Amino acid sequence: MRILVVEDDKDVAGFVVRGLKESGHVVEHADNGRDGLFLAASEKFDAIVLDRMLPGGIDGLHILETLRGQKNAVPVLILSALAAVDERVKGLQAGGDDYLTKPFAFSELLARVEALGRRGNSEGPVTRLKVEDLELDLLARQVRRAGQKIDLQPREFRLLEYLMRHAGQVVTRTMLLEGVWDYHFDPQTNVIDVHVSRLRQKVDKPFPVSLIQTVRNAGYMLRAEPV
Amino acid sequence: MIGNILLRSAGFRFAVIYAALLVASAFGLAFFLWWSTAGLLDRQTEAAIQTDAESLWEHWLEDGMRGLVATIEDRVAQNIDDDAIYLLVDPQGRRVAGNLERWPTAVAEAGQVFELQLQRAGMRSMARVQRFDVPNGYHLLIGRDIQLRLQLRALLKNALLWAVTVVAVMAAIGGLVVRNLFRRALHSVSVTAAAIAAGDLAQRVRHSGRGDEFDQLADVINDMLDRISRLMDGVKQVSNAIAHDLRTPITRARTRLEDALLHAATREELQAAIERATADLDDIVRVFQALMRISEIEAGSRRSSFERIDLAPLLRGVEDMYGVVAEEREIALAVEVPNQLNAYGDAALIQQAVANLVDNAIKFSPSAATVRLSAVVGPTGIEIVVTDQGPGIPKADVGKATERFFRGESARSTPGAGLGLSLVQAVAQLHGGALRLEDGTPGLRAVLFLPQADDAT
């Protein structure tokens, strides 16, 4: 993916740029709003990581609104120290696709950026998801693995659907909380791990190959080979 | 200078306005009385003269000059009050009939009303007269003596002037009284405000006990002060918390890093130490975010996002989330929720509050226990009840349980930062409700009460 990082803090920017490059992405970096807006508007990116508070008179939301005003639909992940719910809402209303508050774990940022980039590519509604021998029929709400029917609770179905839609990508616990349960808070207990382990019992346990992988310090990933 | 200070005093302004209004209405009343009495007298005189003139004219038409003279003399003789004035003169100005000696020189024009001084029967008096022209060059003067009426008018004028003066004095006194009342009513408020400005937040505005507007104002101000002091307490608590409770994990993280720097022999050891320190920092961030969220809720700004919501699916979502966690610990999670549960508020916050309660209940329950989540609609609002069969909260700790970072004895061994109930209480208060922690014998019965919002539309 080709990713633009607009962030003025040298340490944070260096860390994010290095991390994204190590994960195989092409990264451009702007350390002020003016350059950020220029790059974002003149070149094509698969995703933009955008800090909200930037020097140079043009802040992140301004860049975002300008881009959306030009019908530029590039996925944008807002990165901000402004953590209040209202701020988050403001960021999403301005046209942001996702909102990550500082301080953040790089794994969280990477997972979210990759999820955004992927979302930009998928076109049209999907009715069937397939990973290896695991099949999920969104219309019939049925799951089969190696031809064998698996009975899932509605919530387990949605959890698996989310994992399959992001197959091959790291999915963090927070992403699952937000994407599957629509919870925007930290539920303290490791509820997500319990739910995933439940799902594993049904989807992986009876079969020779495990598909739901745990990614250390990050989250989960659905794919055939262990991480 | 003094005038400026006085004008800036609201009490003085009210006093002046009161006095001015009173004096103005007194003037208005006096003027009306004057107009309706003195004016009436004048108008009556004029009407009498007109009537006389018409009736004399008719006599002249009937019987000519002789009839006119006879009528005049008749009238003069019959006039008991002796206030009627008649004078008929021939073209040479000689008197023909009437009770006046000479034609007054001032009365030169016909049709006009004159007010003049006359010499009558050796007495000076005032009269209103009018000249009428009779055919053949004769002139007729008809009038009324108004000396008595003038005296009456003067009397009335004096009385009214005195009345207005008395009213003005009363207005001045009344103004002073109003000003003092006003001052006294505001005194308590301003003394309280001054004390608070000087740093004594415990001061409250005193009630007069009359339940009047000033008491209502005092209530509003006291409510405001309560809220401010609650917020101040919150800020104080948070800063204390940051000073004490966050110091421990920060120290731990710092020690780990420094220890690794000094003693780590291998790359693996170093990496492990850094990983642990990062996890410690993540915990600190989590606590920090929870604190910020509680402060955000307590600040009340989220009330703007309140809307009509159905709590039933929201509570079932919590069941769905925690059901498996309970099962994992062999705890039964029993949920009794009506099909529909209408409320007014912030869905996400209520869900988080209920999730916190259920999370706590599961955390503190022994295995094979039952955690119940139920919701009932009462006459005043909705009660969301979470009961567990854990150790409960000792009576002495109930008040402190919702304080930030409070961890009861029985909570020492369980994970958590002691912020869960603080958040629930903040959410309850944001919705105008309350969190009650009751004895469930055994265990805890936590009741999140959300009042019915009738006025919310």
Side-chain angles (χ1 to χ4, degrees):
Chain A
M1 276 164 66
R2 198 169 133 77
I3 301 167
L4 172 64
V5 176
V6 188
E7 163 66 74
D8 61 310
D9 187 298
K10 269 202 191 81
D11 290 330
V12 176
F15 171 60
V16 170
V17 169
R18 203 162 48 240
L20 288 173
K21 278 181 178 161
E22 276 168 12
S23 310
H25 300 293
V26 181
V27 186
E28 293 280 341
H29 171 232
D31 63 0
N32 64 71
R34 204 171 297 276
D35 294 353
L37 180 56
F38 176 74
L39 277 173
S42 58
E43 294 184 29
K44 182 150 173 49
F45 292 97
D46 298 305
I48 296 177
V49 177
L50 186 62
D51 187 19
R52 262 189 74 170
M53 285 180 289
L54 292 166
I58 300 177
D59 72 351
L61 288 191
H62 187 104
I63 294 178
L64 190 51
E65 278 161 359
T66 310
L67 287 179
R68 296 300 184 239
Q70 293 171 348
K71 304 266 177 272
N72 188 333
V74 56
V76 172
L77 170 74
I78 301 172
L79 196 58
S80 175
L82 302 171
V85 179
D86 288 349
E87 296 297 340
R88 190 191 155 86
V89 169
K90 228 183 271 177
L92 297 181
Q93 273 173 351
D97 298 277
D98 203 350
Y99 199 98
L100 187 60
T101 51
K102 293 178 184 174
F104 58 93
F106 179 74
S107 55
E108 187 77 41
L109 177 102
L110 180 66
R112 284 170 184 266
V113 169
E114 289 186 339
L116 281 184
R118 170 79 68 90
R119 189 163 82 192
N121 294 336
S122 67
E123 277 161 31
V126 191
T127 55
R128 291 178 73 81
L129 296 166
K130 192 170 188 312
V131 177
E132 303 288 322
D133 57 349
L134 178 64
E135 283 176 77
L136 184 136
D137 187 336
L138 284 163
L139 294 179
R141 318 250 353 135
Q142 269 183 2
V143 178
R144 284 175 185 280
R145 183 155 184 199
Q148 207 175 317
K149 198 172 167 236
I150 301 174
D151 280 324
L152 293 182
Q153 302 284 328
R155 194 64 72 167
E156 291 168 336
F157 185 89
R158 288 195 52 193
L159 177 57
L160 183 62
E161 179 193 335
Y162 193 91
L163 288 169
M164 288 182 82
R165 279 184 189 276
H166 296 88
Q169 290 179 330
V170 175
V171 171
T172 66
R173 291 175 179 83
T174 328
M175 285 165 77
L176 289 175
L177 270 174
E178 290 174 7
V180 180
W181 279 271
D182 198 25
Y183 271 32
H184 293 272
F185 59 90
D186 172 20
Q188 300 175 41
T189 318
N190 55 344
V191 276
I192 293 297
D193 294 341
V194 178
H195 280 277
V196 171
S197 104
R198 277 303 174 95
L199 187 63
R200 270 190 178 136
Q201 295 284 325
K202 293 186 177 173
V203 176
D204 274 347
K205 192 102 181 284
F207 303 94
V209 179
S210 286
L211 287 176
I212 303 173
Q213 317 291 343
T214 304
V215 185
R216 214 166 87 83
N217 287 333
Y220 298 97
M221 191 195 281
L222 193 81
R223 70 170 183 192
E225 317 86 55
V227 185
Chain B
M1 179 71 180
I2 290 171
N4 266 349
I5 291 171
L6 279 178
L7 276 181
R8 254 184 274 134
S9 146
F12 179 75
R13 276 204 312 275
F14 279 123
V16 167
I17 290 168
Y18 165 81
L21 275 177
L22 200 60
V23 170
S25 40
F27 262 108
L29 186 68
F31 179 78
F32 176 75
L33 276 177
W34 177 254
W35 179 81
S36 60
T37 51
L40 183 71
L41 291 177
D42 282 353
R43 286 192 298 279
Q44 268 183 350
T45 310
E46 269 164 48
I49 293 172
Q50 287 304 322
T51 322
D52 260 358
E54 275 162 31
S55 112
L56 289 176
W57 179 243
E58 271 166 32
H59 281 282
W60 187 86
L61 284 180
E62 262 176 45
D63 303 321
M65 192 55 75
R66 245 173 13 141
L68 182 62
V69 170
T71 314
I72 288 173
E73 264 155 16
D74 218 28
R75 293 217 170 163
V76 169
Q78 277 172 9
N79 182 226
I80 300 158
D81 292 340
D82 191 28
D83 65 342
I85 294 166
Y86 299 98
L87 180 63
L88 181 67
V89 292
D90 63 13
Q92 284 73 44
R94 283 182 303 241
R95 188 176 89 110
V96 179
N99 53 0
L100 211 59
E101 303 293 324
R102 290 182 288 108
W103 186 269
T105 43
V107 185
E109 259 176 88
Q112 234 180 320
V113 178
F114 292 90
E115 197 169 311
L116 43 85
Q117 218 166 39
L118 288 178
Q119 193 79 32
R120 271 183 72 216
M123 299 263 290
R124 279 173 164 274
S125 81
M126 287 299 287
R128 278 175 89 86
V129 295
Q130 198 172 348
R131 167 180 149 175
F132 299 90
D133 290 338
V134 188
N136 310 330
Y138 283 75
H139 303 295
L140 175 62
L141 186 92
I142 305 173
R144 285 289 183 279
D145 190 315
I146 55 168
Q147 188 66 30
L148 262 176
R149 289 175 186 190
L150 280 182
Q151 276 165 10
L152 191 67
R153 202 151 84 163
L155 206 67
L156 190 67
K157 192 164 86 184
N158 276 341
L160 287 179
L161 275 180
W162 272 111
V164 167
T165 312
V166 168
V167 166
V169 172
M170 302 270 285
I173 296 169
L176 281 176
V177 171
V178 165
R179 182 186 170 208
N180 281 342
L181 279 177
F182 190 77
R183 258 205 190 159
R184 208 156 355 127
L186 284 187
H187 181 70
S188 176
V189 175
S190 70
V191 164
T192 310
I196 283 164
D200 183 4
L201 267 173
Q203 286 288 333
R204 289 295 178 269
V205 180
R206 264 203 315 279
H207 266 231
S208 67
R210 283 189 292 269
D212 56 5
E213 289 87 341
F214 284 105
D215 274 3
Q216 286 165 20
L217 179 69
D219 281 341
V220 172
I221 290 175
N222 285 344
D223 281 353
M224 180 186 80
L225 292 175
D226 286 347
R227 178 148 178 73
I228 288 174
S229 74
R230 262 208 308 281
L231 288 176
M232 292 289 291
D233 284 349
V235 170
K236 233 179 278 171
Q237 266 192 27
V238 170
S239 30
N240 284 348
I242 290 168
H244 298 107
D245 296 82
L246 284 181
R247 196 176 281 262
T248 318
I250 290 172
T251 308
R252 206 184 315 139
R254 195 189 179 286
T255 313
R256 280 214 174 114
L257 286 172
E258 194 168 11
D259 183 47
L261 186 68
L262 293 176
H263 304 113
T266 62
R267 191 185 155 78
E268 282 72 34
E269 271 180 37
L270 200 61
Q271 245 169 3
I274 291 175
E275 246 169 50
R276 276 205 305 275
T278 310
D280 283 344
L281 285 172
D282 281 348
D283 280 343
I284 294 167
V285 168
R286 210 166 293 136
V287 169
F288 190 69
Q289 274 172 350
L291 275 177
M292 296 315 283
R293 192 159 169 101
I294 294 170
S295 306
E296 191 191 346
I297 296 166
E298 283 180 347
S301 60
R302 298 210 57 190
R303 223 168 265 140
S304 57
S305 64
F306 275 18
E307 56 188 356
R308 294 216 156 277
I309 42 172
D310 183 4
L311 290 182
L314 190 145
L315 295 180
R316 268 181 232 110
V318 174
E319 174 190 17
D320 183 77
M321 179 65 122
Y322 286 94
V324 287
V325 182
E327 247 175 75
E328 204 81 350
R329 302 198 187 186
E330 294 172 352
I331 292 167
L333 177 60
V335 178
E336 279 169 57
V337 175
N339 284 331
Q340 208 180 347
L341 204 55
N342 290 323
Y344 183 75
D346 186 312
L349 287 182
I350 295 174
Q351 188 168 40
Q352 185 174 2
V354 176
N356 276 6
L357 290 178
V358 173
D359 191 84
N360 270 350
I362 293 173
K363 240 180 348 198
F364 291 110
S365 284
S367 59
T370 303
V371 168
R372 288 181 195 284
L373 165 63
S374 62
V376 277
V377 185
T380 52
I382 295 169
E383 282 192 346
I384 300 167
V385 186
V386 179
T387 55
D388 63 43
Q389 293 168 345
I393 298 176
K395 272 217 163 54
D397 286 350
V398 165
K400 283 184 276 179
T402 54
E403 278 176 20
R404 291 177 179 79
F405 295 108
F406 178 82
R407 309 266 286 135
E409 275 309 311
S410 55
R412 295 272 175 239
S413 56
T414 54
L419 291 172
L421 288 181
S422 310
L423 184 128
V424 180
Q425 185 169 39
V427 170
Q429 281 172 356
L430 180 78
H431 289 80
L435 168 66
R436 295 200 306 271
L437 300 173
E438 297 166 355
D439 189 4
T441 46
L444 178 71
R445 184 171 189 271
V447 183
L448 173 60
F449 171 71
L450 302 170
Q452 207 96 54
D454 296 323
D455 51 335
T457 44

